[in-house]
Amino acid sequence: MSRVYNFSAGPAVLPESVLGRAAAELTEYQDTGQSVMEMSHRSKAYEAIIFGCEKSLRKIMSVPDNYKILFLQGGASSQFAMVPLNLMRSGKADYMITGQWAQKAFEEGSRFGTATAVASSKDKTFSYIPDVEKFDKDADYFHICSNNTIFGTRFDKLPDVGDIPIVSDMSSCILSEPIDVSKYGVIYAGAQKNMGPAGLTVVIIREDLIGNAREGTPTMFNYKTHADNQSMYNTPPTYSIYMHSLVLDWIENEMGGLEKMKEYNQKKAAILYDYLDNSAMFSATVQRPFRSLMNIPFVTGREDLDKKFIAEGVKQGFVNLGGHRSVGGMRASIYNAMPIDGVKALVEFMKEFEKSN
Ligand SMILES: *Cc1c(COP(=O)(O)O)cnc(C)c1O
């Protein structure tokens, strides 16, 4: 049995060298005589891991000093509630509806105040990013989902909303390219796509947005709790944070940082999109300017052929190519850790399939 090419949308492929390092350190971490999983989070050895991880993420993403990095749990889905609990001071927020996750964030936000859907691309099955023509200038924040994991779109530019803090769900694109963190109020992401294994949720938040949680906010749902305690108010997801730190080392030392990561991701995505745009059988479903570098949905136009393709793929070591259960078709998630050889091999397989069907 050898490793497959895993196109899962999440939890997703991890760099092989990261898995190798984790394996080598699994039972004894450095000279501690114990696994990272067994360590007290209050120990010196673990403090070095979590603080080192924070430092490394801050450096790689150029996170400004007036932003806190929080290592939380509960997934990106918990942030759908944590954001309004902490930021909806006047009770109003704007949301862009560009996919299923954005819709869920909007619905959750609506439970805490007046959430307004200021733009939506639902009319064309979320295949593009709509313009923002009108928005509430008094809103407490403006929520977007930078990369739509299910439908495969991404923002090609940020909407101009003046001083309203932009809150972005970056679960499926964080660390895929450099971004200007100072343009955002809050960035959050579940780790299981581009950062490491599941169990860790990363929040990057401008300091002035911390400390204004509404009355009754549970202690664990208050950003201030975690900011004041360096993400160790309670037991953090220790092993996932350790794995995240290894992924960050890989980005910095093996991939050469985010500028290089972006070039690599663009190269990978271009291989697949070019083939899709020239194939007589397969086609991409997303309008060109909004195509994701991370999640690439495609179809044959025939459900039976889609099914056959997915099944034959599995036999050849290409797994998790089925589209999200809500949309069908295929989707190749090609996150940071998907090697370019995996994308090339997939395209070769698609060419063969096209010839013989
Ligand atoms: C995967 C994903 C989520 C859900 O993340 P959980 O950590 O499972 O809650 C939310 N938003 C986006 C954009 C995602 O890709």
Side-chain angles (χ1 to χ4, degrees), residues 245-264:
S245 76
L246 299 190
V247 169
L248 290 169
D249 283 356
W250 171 80
I251 290 175
E252 189 172 13
N253 301 319
E254 286 183 57
M255 302 311 287
L258 289 191
E259 205 54 70
K260 284 276 180 338
M261 200 70 249
K262 177 185 185 175
E263 282 170 28
Y264 190 61

Side-chain angles (χ1 to χ4, degrees), residues 9-10 74-80 100-102 104 145-150 169-173 188-193 198-201 295 331 335:
S77 301
S78 289
Q79 293 308 309
F80 298 166
Q100 198 161 301
W101 295 116
K104 283 191 172 167
C145 178
S146 291
N147 182 81
N148 298 292
T149 323
I150 294 172
D169 177 356
M170 289 198 190
S171 295
S172 52
C173 62
Y188 63 86
Q192 66 275 20
K193 280 103 189 209
L200 167 66
T201 309
N295 311 97
R331 171 180 52 173
Y335 295 118

Side-chain angles (χ1 to χ4, degrees), residues 160-339:
D160 181 5
V161 294
D163 290 339
I164 306 177
I166 293 180
V167 174
S168 178
D169 177 356
M170 289 198 190
S171 295
S172 52
C173 62
I174 196 161
L175 293 171
S176 65
E177 60 183 335
I179 56 152
D180 182 352
V181 174
S182 72
K183 294 215 152 57
Y184 300 83
V186 181
I187 290 166
Y188 63 86
Q192 66 275 20
K193 280 103 189 209
N194 250 348
M195 305 185 108
L200 167 66
T201 309
V202 175
V203 173
I204 303 172
I205 179 168
R206 215 173 63 205
E207 274 167 358
D208 62 287
L209 299 172
I210 300 172
N212 311 301
R214 69 160 56 194
E215 218 21 64
T217 297
T219 309
M220 281 295 289
F221 269 62
N222 193 328
Y223 289 131
K224 190 170 175 8
T225 304
H226 303 285
D228 287 350
N229 291 282
Q230 296 179 290
S231 300
M232 289 193 282
Y233 170 76
N234 72 325
T235 317
T238 52
Y239 198 75
S240 293
I241 291 169
Y242 156 76
M243 286 297 291
H244 178 41
S245 76
L246 299 190
V247 169
L248 290 169
D249 283 356
W250 171 80
I251 290 175
E252 189 172 13
N253 301 319
E254 286 183 57
M255 302 311 287
L258 289 191
E259 205 54 70
K260 284 276 180 338
M261 200 70 249
K262 177 185 185 175
E263 282 170 28
Y264 190 61
N265 286 328
Q266 283 175 328
K267 219 158 121 185
K268 285 189 288 179
I271 292 170
L272 187 48
Y273 283 124
D274 284 350
Y275 170 67
L276 289 169
D277 288 342
N278 291 302
S279 162
M281 176 181 280
F282 298 99
S283 59
T285 55
V286 171
Q287 297 178 21
R288 223 168 279 248
F290 311 112
R291 287 177 171 181
S292 169
L293 294 178
M294 299 281 101
N295 311 97
I296 305 185
F298 55 95
V299 293
T300 62
R302 269 177 50 193
E303 217 175 299
D304 58 325
L305 214 49
D306 288 353
K307 281 215 174 85
K308 187 175 176 199
F309 173 77
I310 292 164
E312 281 191 18
V314 171
K315 284 189 211 145
Q316 308 225 11
F318 303 101
V319 305
N320 292 315
L321 277 170
H324 189 269
R325 58 187 189 278
S326 64
V327 293
M330 279 77 71
R331 171 180 52 173
S333 293
I334 53 171
Y335 295 118
N336 283 356
M338 171 56 65

Side-chain angles (χ1 to χ4, degrees), residues 66-88:
N66 63 325
Y67 283 73
K68 291 273 194 231
I69 295 176
L70 308 177
F71 296 129
L72 310 180
Q73 304 188 53
S77 301
S78 289
Q79 293 308 309
F80 298 166
M82 212 161 161
V83 165
L85 280 169
N86 284 267
L87 267 63
M88 242 192 205

